[in-house]
């Protein structure tokens, strides 16, 4: 059974930081490209950051210079370090895994940025 389990979300003040984790099981993690997406109320789901199997990364325009995606193949886990958070970063954050035509989603973790 494939599982992607996100953790690390919560409430943070503007300017603060959070680190999200996504622990996977049931897949060969090392061959999957991994990504973080987010969806705010009333908005479409958008790409936050993406990392290839080789470690190359791509960030969404709105988070460039603030968020960093990384992966640990030994732990089957992908991370999202989020710095300089602002209220527009409030959303449910989802972990995504993709290999060829197969893709999987986590259940999401809420991130709320508020004073």
């Amino acid at each position: 059974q494939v599982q992607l389990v996100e953790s690390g979300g919560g409430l943070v003040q503007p300017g603060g930081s959070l680190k999200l984790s996504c622990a996977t099981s049931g897949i060969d993690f090392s061959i999957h490209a991994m990504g973080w997406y987010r969806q705010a109320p009333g908005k479409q789901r958008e790409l936050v950051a993406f990392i290839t199997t080789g470690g190359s990364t791509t960030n969404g325009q709105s988070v460039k210079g603030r968020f960093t995606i990384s992966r640990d193949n030994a732990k089957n886990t992908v991370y999202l370090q989020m710095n300089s958070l602002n209220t527009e970063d409030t959303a449910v954050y989802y972990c995504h895994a993709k290999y060829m035509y197969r893709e999987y989603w986590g259940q999401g973790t809420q991130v709320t940025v508020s004073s």
Side-chain angles (χ1 to χ4, degrees):
Q1 182 181 1
V2 177
Q3 287 191 311
L4 280 65
V5 181
E6 300 98 335
S7 61
L11 175 64
V12 63
Q13 291 187 340
S17 298
L18 280 177
K19 186 174 184 177
L20 305 183
S21 300
C22 172
T24 71
S25 60
I27 62 171
D28 184 348
F29 180 80
S30 65
I31 66 172
H32 283 73
M34 300 298 299
W36 287 95
Y37 290 74
R38 69 185 182 186
Q39 188 166 20
K43 295 187 177 181
Q44 290 188 331
R45 191 172 295 191
E46 65 172 349
L47 173 69
V48 176
F50 176 85
I51 186 166
T52 68
T53 56
S56 296
T57 62
T58 300
N59 278 15
Q61 191 65 35
S62 61
V63 305
K64 280 185 177 179
R66 300 188 298 123
F67 291 11
T68 302
I69 188 171
S70 61
R71 64 189 297 158
D72 186 337
N73 288 349
K75 295 183 178 180
N76 297 331
T77 300
V78 63
Y79 304 96
L80 184 68
Q81 177 67 47
M82 305 186 294
N83 299 327
S84 302
L85 286 159
N86 59 58
T87 56
E88 294 183 350
D89 296 317
T90 295
V92 178
Y93 284 71
Y94 297 91
C95 179
H96 178 256
K98 184 175 176 64
Y99 174 68
M100 296 182 71
Y101 59 88
R102 295 181 179 175
E103 58 180 345
Y104 309 96
W105 291 92
Q107 82 288 349
T109 186
Q110 176 71 46
V111 172
T112 301
V113 185
S114 175
S115 56

